[in-house]
Amino acid sequence: MSVKQDKLTFKKDLFSNNASKLPKFENHDKQTQKNTTCYMCACRCGIKVTLENNKIRYIQGEPTHPVNKGVLCAKGNAGIMKQISPARLRQPMMRKPGAERGTSEFVPISWDDALDMLTERLSKIRETDPKKLAFFTGRDQMQALTGLWAQQFGTINWAAHGGFCSVNMAAAGLYTTGFSFWEFGDPDWEKTKYFMLWGVAEDHASNPIKMGLNRLKERGGKFVAVNPVRTGYQAIADEWIPIKPGTDAMLALSLIHVLLKNELFDWEFLVRYTNAHYLVVDTPRKKGDGLFIRNEKGVPQSWDLEKDCLVNATDPKIKPALLGNFKSPEGTPVKTAFTIMTERYMSDEYSPENASKVCGVPAKQIEKIALELAHVAFKESIEVETEWTDWTGRKHDKFIGRPVSMHAMRGISAHSNGFQACRAIHFLQVLLGSVDCPGGHLAKPPYPKHVAPPIKPGKKVVPGQPLESFPLGFPTEPEDLAIDDDGNPLRIDKAYSWEAPIANHGLMHMAITNAVAGDPYEIDTMIFFMANMAWNSTMNTTKMRENLCAKNADGEYKIPFLVVCDAFDSETVGYADLVIPDTTYLERYDTISILDRPISEPHAVCDSIRAPILEPDRDVRPWQTVLVELASRLKFPAFTKENGDRKFKDYKDFIINFEKAPGIGFLAGWRGENGENSLKGKPNPNQWEKYIENKCFFEYKLADHHKYFRGANKDYLEFAKKSGFNASSDPIIIELYSEKLQKFKLAGMGLYDGPQPKKERDQFRLSRFFDPIPEYYIPLEHRCTFSKAFPFYAITQRPMFMYHSWDSQNAWLRQLQAHNYMHMNKEKGEELGIEDLSWVWVESNTGKIKVQVKLMEGCQSDTLWTWNAIGKQKGKWGLSDDANESTKGFLMNHLINEHLPCADTGSPVTNSDPITGQAAWYDLKVNVYPAGPDEQFGVYPNFEAASKLPGSPETNDILRYNTKKPVRLSRSIIDILTKGGFEK
Amino acid sequence: MRLGLVVDLDKCVGCNACAIACKQWNTSGTSGSLTDYRPYGPDPSGVFFNRIRHYETGTYPENKTVHFPMSCMHCEEAACVTVCPTGASYKREEDGIVLVDPEKCMGCNYCAWACPYGARELDREEGIMKKCTLCVDRIYDENLPKEERKPACVMTCPTTARYFGDFDDPNSEVSLASKKREGQELFPELGYKPVNQYLSPRKKVETKQHETKEPSLVKQVKDWVNQVVEL
Amino acid sequence: MHPAFSVIFFTVTSGAGYGLIALLGLFQFLHFGIFLDKNTFFISALIAFLLFTMGLISSTFHLANPKNAWRAFMRFRTSWLAREGLLAILFYPFLFLYLYLTYIDYQIANFILMQTYSFAIFIFAIVIIYCTGMIYACLKTIPQWNTLWTPVNYISIGVFLGSLIFFFILDFFNYEVDPYKFYLLLAIAFAFFMKLIYYFRIREPRHNIGQATNAAIKLKDTNVRLLDVGHTGSTFLTDEFGYKVASRKLLKIKLFAIISGFFIPFLLVYIHSFIYENLIFCLTAIFLAFIGMVAERWLFFAQAKHVVNLYHGSQNV
Ligand SMILES: Nc1nc2c(c(=O)[nH]1)N[C@H]1C(S)=C(S)[C@@H](COP(=O)(O)OP(=O)(O)OC[C@H]3O[C@@H](n4cnc5c(=O)[nH]c(N)nc54)[C@H](O)[C@@H]3O)O[C@H]1N2
Ligand SMILES: Nc1nc2c(c(=O)[nH]1)N[C@H]1C(S)=C(S)[C@@H](COP(=O)(O)OP(=O)(O)OC[C@H]3O[C@@H](n4cnc5c(=O)[nH]c(N)nc54)[C@H](O)[C@@H]3O)O[C@H]1N2
Ligand code: SF4
Ligand code: SF4
Ligand code: SF4
Ligand code: SF4
Ligand code: SF4
Ligand SMILES: [Mo]
């Protein structure tokens, strides 16, 4: 007996018909709209902000913007809550006299005093030993400015977050194809038919990936996801490959194994666009082994199949052998680079059967994926009918596309074998010929650049003078390292030392440790801009927090002066001696420059600006303005006229008038006195206004014949040179075989004429890991961690709706997630007697944490994972002391060490990729076991609640954001009384 | 007209953009504010019209994760309307949108009890029942550009997993999408005839495999003959 | 479902009140061998009036916006809640007129017209309890309630409580209650068995997560499991519908409801005539029956599972 709903059916007459008389809900006359660029993350979408009564009514995606084309992510949509966050800093502050560092006890000071204090201190450093200033910046987007500032200051101790973020991806690409994943390339979403996503939860291309997946799906393309965890993007993948963390190189190379075994690769592509046919000297354990054989002018050689002799490998019209062993006229045994590759990759080591043991991916599946890739690349190739000319002058009537594309990020990069793993993925793309072709992996201008970009890291520090070169660059041989005559590191983070020779982005994660240890030397002042180094962006957080407070015997802090520029009350702010309060992204001018990471699209050169939407209601200033002010006060040459006067009034003025090279400035749009030039041209005094008129971005669309094969596309190469992207219009040759790496390897083996490492440890690392062609090796931490004691891999993922530590202050976003769980495979958990939602200890070589566990199916059996940076210190981020972020939320970082746990390395060595210095966050191995019955609730470790900042607002238990009194919906009484009735 | 949404579960990556866009638009819209409780304290909570749940099916490694956004389905047999004693809840004749007149609601929760989809949330601070309005304050606003007269959640969805339109019009985007992909309603057993349709995850795309040369595994480099390719 | 005390109190007391007034009407119509004097009649009516009025007032306590409570009867055309409200309102003048007529001349109670009026009071009051029951029974979203047993339970319990109070009143005014005792025992037993049937019926869950999602997820032969509700804190939905009690506690409360609500009152009424100071017995029986029925009503809510829980992690409801 069950009751039918109400015994009523919904008759048409029940509908309300007076409702069409809708009121006028929005009074647009009282609203204004302004454009700017989102900064809820580094994806840099265009936004249109509607204001009403001086408050934000609505933030929406700008439909014409090249990056997001009108869409916004959850963060972008939550900008209002960032703008009203109680955690916003309100004024400059100094550590309270007598208060200890880290207690968050501050007194407000005026901007004048703050700037005077800084100027005095910095000018002393600059005049004596500029490298005593260490300036590190986190997830910012203004490295062109901060880098220039550091260079002008004269310190080599500058870097941004790249070293702990994804330098492996940048470097692997820039040392292979001249562009890369990360922010330098994109899949051809318009045309690709088969897409492989390697180790990505969210990425910098946050909205673009989502939009791209839509395009792929609309086209019926296949989506394969390689990831130990099945959430987010992986959820909608056609095929999910739950790989064991740290083994992707093996998987990629095994796919290559299958391709090679079946002779499935793009022969023409390899010969024309790569160095696979270059001849490599084959004299094992002798000097010169593994280097290209070169003629007297230094030009590498190939074997011409018709002439049967050595020829210049880069001469047009040669017909080089891709395979084979030959002898030089002098009798030196040589073989083609490709021969070396086939020998390695066709060996059993990379067979699917063996790979399966390493990666946990069935051999059959590896074989299947490889053959699918080949099918799409070669049997479903596409053509774009456009005439173009290659660098040899040969005309083509079409671009041939191999519509296979890939994208990879931190799942690959955050391992100590990530550089080689990423290179392996590029190899896969190259073999399939799917690089910068229709449907493949496309470069974003100003990329591709020559391999490697011709900038060498700055080394020489001269008091009172700028560095002769940018602090960061691209070493190509041991001579480029930043080491002294004894081989000791010159930089505080030991980038470009034997420990991390091609650390193109520095090693920010080592800066505090090294500075505190005085290794290689002591510093005076450390500036952190937009980096939460006392919390989520550091390894070994507990210790790092102690480090920041460490004192010498004389009671002086080991890092004597710490300046933190932040916009919010972060954990790191608590450690500052001087706090410089920044504006929010809606309150300032900003440039997203092509001198930096571009926002370009594959077929358009783009940059953008931010323009203020709201006036700050606090005593805060944009860091940009502060930097220009300091640069002027410190009389940096680039900021000072010959007569000693300051050159730029303010930041806006600087952006307009600063030229890096004649005609080239921070902004590429509307250059020339009247805005008539694009990309290059004289400064335009009205440039900002032009940008604002054009919704705050500039887009220069590439001509059709410039769109593909840009490394070998004559017209494009000339265009790129003219526009200042590249110094020359020579072809950009894909370096499958890296002679550059080989030189470092030889140095490690003692076979190099030039600097060579003295420490046995460094010799081992160079000779073992600097392989000129990628190989799979076990991640460093795994090598020295007893796997019985720590049987699980432990990794993190970014939640799509939170940006690192920024968003717990966001009242809307934290409702989605105020605390995190440690996830693990359900069957595995049950096997270990771990119950869903119970508390467990997770232990590593470095420490242990107590966390709540959640069991799930979509997790590789040997893997634990959690959402990144949800846990917070009590009392920070404008949150109450009992907020879930500090009672239940946790950081994985406590378990990760900045040094390798290996005993055999002599002195401590960084837990990073041995080639690039990329922080190896995801090499972590742990053990997990249930917490005792009396330990059931609450996270460990716990930190004391931070003091409230002076002037921080009281928050209410109820938040009712609104820009106006709402215009309500209404239904008439007549309607209510007359509509509908009992069942007829 | 029968206005409603189509949600494509094959494209939804669970990013929550739609949920927050909805919150953002509506907190200053006709149903505003959407109150938040303990915004900076323990157990933060608040009124949302659109929530994303996440499910798993199958067992490892043959498992699948499905992100599942849910908002008001603007049901044809909207029991939330029939049960409402005050008449505050109503369904519009011209387009089927189910709305609440806040001046008449007494906050009894009864309509929320009657809704199987969790689409109604009481704003405790105001004492008023609130729900998805299908952005009635956007879609009919003639002062907005035409392409913006869409629900906030639809406009913002980065994967285009959400479509908005008139199911009575066989040529509307929603009708076409629903027809092509066999749109499904949630919980049809209950008989609410929800207007919103869900597109199920696709069957795996199967790509052909390149044929292999027999016997592929014995083939060695030395068997290869250099192809002549001019640089 | 979250058991709100105001709603529990409302349904129990107003049920008892309407049950009592219904009985009164029925007695005036059928007499059952007992002829009430005027005082007894009016005191009974007053008690009934107080009970259902208190219940109705308490029902507004759970409104988030009580200033609109007066609108509650507007949609009587479709809403059982409105119907209940409307009938409850209309009942007052109907009852007042009845009481007035009876008051001016108690003798007319025996006239056929007045007898019909009494019977109408009986029907009216029962219909109101029926409406209260239907408020819950009409919800397809709560399968435990979505049954005719729900209004049957409401009516039978209302009548049982009403009868018990009536029994006490009769006893208090020294009526010969033994002829009535049988009917009371019958009412208790009936209410109990109706409740048993209800409990039996709700043992098996009616819906599962597969039903709620599978049509859309459409992955054949797979089990669907919640991975993440999408928010770590509570929400209106989890507060309102996510109420959970341990099954041990449920069982305890259920035993308590049955023993205190049905068994002991039954026993006390049964042995009533063998005891000397039986008024205390009667009061105890009423007290226990009320507590028992409050527990029963609490269970009614606590055991009811809204289908939205399927989306929040219950595998079935
Ligand atoms: N919403 C949001 N967006 C962001 C950020 C944010 O905090 N929030 N941060 C920005 C920043 S700074 C960065 S660097 C990017 C990073 O963006 P992502 O590269 O997406 O970074 P993660 O979230 O670390 O995701 C790494 C993924 O790799 C997987 N993984 C881990 N180890 C392995 C492995 O060995 N092999 C494979 N195949 N997969 C593995 C993890 O499960 C996870 O899914 O995102 C940027 N965008
Ligand atoms: N366990 C683990 N740890 C990781 C990672 C991981 O995947 N797992 N990822 C690593 C990676 S890739 C990265 S990039 C780092 C990120 O590391 P960080 O860049 O250090 O992290 P954020 O949390 O983004 O912190 C940046 C700081 O910038 C501040 N901020 C925000 N907006 C502004 C502004 O407008 N102006 C100023 N001046 N400050 C602002 C914030 O308040 C915050 O304090 O984390 C790393 N840490
Ligand atoms: S992805 Fe989201 S947060 Fe990042 S810039 Fe775009 S809209 Fe803003
Ligand atoms: S915005 Fe789109 S992809 Fe993101 S959760 Fe909503 S429906 Fe899914
Ligand atoms: S989804 Fe719920 S609130 Fe919306 S119309 Fe259907 S029953 Fe009513
Ligand atoms: S809460 Fe408001 S809208 Fe819902 S049933 Fe009650 S009066 Fe109607
Ligand atoms: S249609 Fe509007 S109100 Fe409804 S869920 Fe989407 S954004 Fe929210
Ligand atoms: Mo990063």
Side-chain angles (χ1 to χ4, degrees), chain B residues 188-230:
Chain B
E189 287 87 344
L190 292 182
Y192 280 59
K193 295 206 190 136
V195 170
N196 288 6
Q197 299 280 303
Y198 284 76
L199 309 183
S200 313
R202 299 185 293 184
K203 291 218 179 66
K204 278 188 183 180
V205 172
E206 284 305 335
T207 302
K208 287 208 191 93
Q209 297 175 34
H210 204 292
E211 65 278 13
T212 52
K213 296 195 176 156
E214 287 302 330
S216 72
L217 289 178
V218 291
K219 192 138 180 73
Q220 291 302 317
V221 202
K222 45 187 180 304
D223 306 336
W224 288 348
V225 185
N226 267 309
Q227 290 181 17
V228 182
V229 178
E230 190 185 82

Side-chain angles (χ1 to χ4, degrees), chain A residues 17 19 59 235 394 960 968, chain B residues 24 64 92-93 126 231:
Chain A
N17 67 5
I59 302 176
R394 189 187 298 120
R960 309 201 68 223
R968 294 301 201 187
Chain B
Q24 193 202 173
K64 172 145 177 69
R92 279 163 52 88
E93 185 171 4
E126 257 183 281
L231 206 59

Side-chain angles (χ1 to χ4, degrees), chain A residues 138-139 161 164-165 410 529-532 536-537 565-568 570 582-583 588 796 798 804-806 868 877 893 896 921-922:
Chain A
R139 256 305 348 175
H161 67 280
F164 60 50
C165 180
R410 283 181 48 80
F529 162 57
M530 217 178 211
N532 201 357
N536 59 296
S537 53
C565 173
D566 205 305
F568 307 100
S570 73
D582 204 348
T583 45
R588 64 176 178 246
T796 61
R798 279 144 178 72
H804 297 287
S805 60
W806 299 2
N868 189 38
W877 296 100
N893 302 46
I896 309 173
W921 305 94
Y922 296 168

Side-chain angles (χ1 to χ4, degrees), chain A residues 161-463:
Chain A
H161 67 280
F164 60 50
C165 180
S166 298
V167 64
N168 268 342
M169 311 310 282
L174 295 176
Y175 281 74
T176 308
T177 58
F179 63 110
S180 73
F181 301 117
W182 204 354
E183 286 149 282
F184 312 92
D186 263 345
D188 185 355
W189 294 116
E190 298 308 314
K191 299 195 172 64
T192 196
K193 295 184 189 168
Y194 196 101
F195 174 61
M196 272 185 100
L197 187 67
W198 300 73
V200 177
E202 167 66 335
D203 203 78
H204 297 286
S206 168
N207 283 327
I209 288 185
K210 297 180 187 83
M211 289 151 67
L213 288 173
N214 170 45
R215 302 305 308 267
L216 177 79
K217 294 241 167 190
E218 301 270 280
R219 213 175 304 118
K222 179 163 178 176
F223 171 19
V224 178
V226 185
N227 199 310
V229 187
R230 189 161 206 185
T231 53
Y233 298 145
Q234 342 300 327
I236 64 166
D238 295 295
E239 191 158 346
W240 173 54
I241 304 181
I243 193 170
K244 284 190 196 168
T247 66
D248 299 76
M250 180 51 109
L251 176 61
L253 295 173
S254 184
L255 292 170
I256 289 177
H257 174 97
V258 179
L259 293 176
L260 289 175
K261 280 251 157 147
N262 292 290
E263 216 184 315
L264 294 171
F265 54 88
D266 192 334
W267 200 291
E268 204 175 276
F269 190 95
L270 289 180
V271 171
R272 290 202 173 145
Y273 307 125
T274 78
N275 65 5
H277 53 83
Y278 287 21
L279 293 171
V280 178
V281 173
D282 184 19
T283 55
R285 280 175 298 282
K286 296 222 180 73
K287 274 193 181 167
D289 175 50
L291 300 180
F292 293 138
I293 187 143
R294 293 171 184 269
N295 68 7
E296 59 289 351
K297 289 202 193 105
V299 181
Q301 303 290 298
S302 284
W303 189 265
D304 194 287
L305 286 170
E306 282 179 356
K307 296 188 191 137
D308 255 350
C309 67
L310 293 188
V311 288
N312 283 352
T314 52
D315 277 358
K317 313 284 184 227
I318 60 166
K319 298 196 168 90
L322 192 54
L323 286 162
N325 295 279
F326 306 97
K327 275 220 157 72
S328 79
E330 296 80 36
T332 316
V334 292
K335 50 171 134 180
T336 68
F338 195 62
T339 308
I340 300 175
M341 289 166 53
T342 49
E343 280 167 358
R344 176 177 296 170
Y345 303 138
M346 286 171 74
S347 73
D348 283 345
E349 193 191 344
Y350 292 106
S351 67
E353 291 70 28
N354 192 45
S356 158
K357 283 184 213 135
V358 175
C359 316
V361 181
K364 277 234 151 55
Q365 196 176 12
I366 299 177
E367 181 124 9
K368 187 188 88 166
I369 300 272
L371 296 176
E372 286 180 1
L373 287 168
H375 175 85
V376 177
F378 304 125
K379 292 284 150 87
E380 295 189 23
S381 56
I382 50 179
E383 293 175 357
V384 173
E385 310 267 341
T386 305
E387 269 188 30
W388 67 287
T389 314
D390 70 25
W391 66 275
T392 66
R394 189 187 298 120
K395 292 233 185 285
H396 303 256
D397 54 3
K398 57 184 174 245
F399 292 112
I400 296 185
R402 311 253 179 245
V404 167
S405 65
M406 301 185 186
H407 185 70
M409 254 304 267
R410 283 181 48 80
I412 306 303
S413 65
H415 292 286
S416 56
N417 58 9
F419 175 81
Q420 295 289 24
C422 184
R423 249 168 76 73
I425 297 172
H426 285 309
F427 267 45
L428 188 55
Q429 294 178 309
V430 172
L431 283 187
L432 295 166
S434 68
V435 176
D436 213 34
C437 70
H441 178 56
L442 301 177
K444 301 204 275 193
Y447 295 88
K449 299 203 174 233
H450 290 92
V451 178
I455 307 167
K456 303 285 157 149
K459 288 196 243 186
K460 217 163 119 220
V461 176
V462 185

